[in-house]
Amino acid sequence: MRIEKCWFCSSSIYPGHGITFVRNDASVFNFCRSKCHKNFKMKRNPRKVRWTKAYRKLAGKELAEDATFELERKRNRPEKYNRETVAKTLKAIGKIAEIRSKRQERFYEKRMNKAKLMEKKAEKVQLEKEIHLIKAPAAINSAKEKLRIRVQEKQTDRMEE
């Protein structure tokens, strides 16, 4: 069993799923669902459609180049079965998956730090523009406080008289 990749969105296609389209020139296109097939027929570019992996990588939202992706590449040369090799490969797959997840987390944190900095800058600009909204209520509160003190003073004066 071979897990194919969707031509349009690059997601996995498991056996018995998806659509295979063959052109007259014998080029084969595999699609994971009708959504991808329809977008292909509409001649849309996967790099410009926001929900595809090609767009996410091009826009810098996912890791584009990483040595851990080398393991997933398709190879057509057969390997002789060896129990030790299989055991080592399975251990390596676990380690590589762990390394990949850590790298993706670091990449995500870097991206989010940039977004947080931009958000803080935008908030500072907004605060500078709308500072009058913050200062005015304080002035109103102090005026109300002064008025309340005057009223109390008048009430005490009346009581004394």
Side-chain angles (χ1 to χ4, degrees), residues 10 62 92 123:
S10 303
E62 283 186 9
E123 287 174 355

Side-chain angles (χ1 to χ4, degrees), residues 33-90:
R33 55 187 180 262
S34 62
K35 177 181 182 181
C36 296
H37 188 214
K38 288 174 185 173
N39 277 285
F40 174 78
K41 286 194 287 187
M42 287 190 276
K43 298 184 178 179
R44 288 202 174 140
N45 187 347
R47 290 172 291 182
K48 293 184 180 177
V49 180
R50 295 183 69 115
W51 51 268
T52 61
K53 286 185 183 176
Y55 174 86
R56 291 187 60 77
K57 286 180 182 176
L58 198 66
K61 297 189 180 299
E62 283 186 9
L63 279 172
E65 292 296 321
D66 194 15
T68 59
F69 296 134
E70 186 67 33
L71 191 70
E72 285 184 7
R73 293 234 165 86
K74 193 170 154 183
R75 294 171 194 86
N76 286 326
R77 63 168 194 252
E79 291 288 328
K80 196 170 185 180
Y81 178 79
N82 186 352
R83 189 174 245 171
E84 290 177 23
T85 308
V86 171
K88 286 180 183 179
T89 304
L90 290 175

Side-chain angles (χ1 to χ4, degrees), residues 93-146:
I93 287 173
K95 288 180 183 178
I96 289 171
E98 187 179 320
I99 290 168
R100 181 184 296 162
S101 65
K102 285 181 181 178
R103 284 182 182 173
Q104 285 176 341
E105 286 173 17
R106 271 185 274 151
F107 180 77
Y108 178 78
E109 288 297 322
K110 258 188 191 177
R111 248 184 67 226
M112 290 300 111
N113 284 339
K114 289 179 185 176
K116 284 178 187 175
L117 289 174
M118 290 176 66
E119 193 175 312
K120 278 186 179 180
K121 286 181 183 178
E123 287 174 355
K124 282 183 182 179
V125 168
Q126 183 182 6
L127 183 64
E128 289 173 2
K129 285 182 181 177
E130 299 173 358
I131 193 74
H132 65 280
L133 296 174
I134 296 171
K135 287 184 178 177
I140 291 170
N141 287 338
S142 64
K144 284 182 181 177
E145 187 66 31
K146 288 178 185 176

Side-chain angles (χ1 to χ4, degrees), residues 152-161:
Q152 284 179 352
E153 287 176 356
K154 286 182 182 178
Q155 287 176 351
T156 54
D157 288 341
R158 286 184 191 162
M159 290 188 159
E160 290 177 1
E161 290 178 354

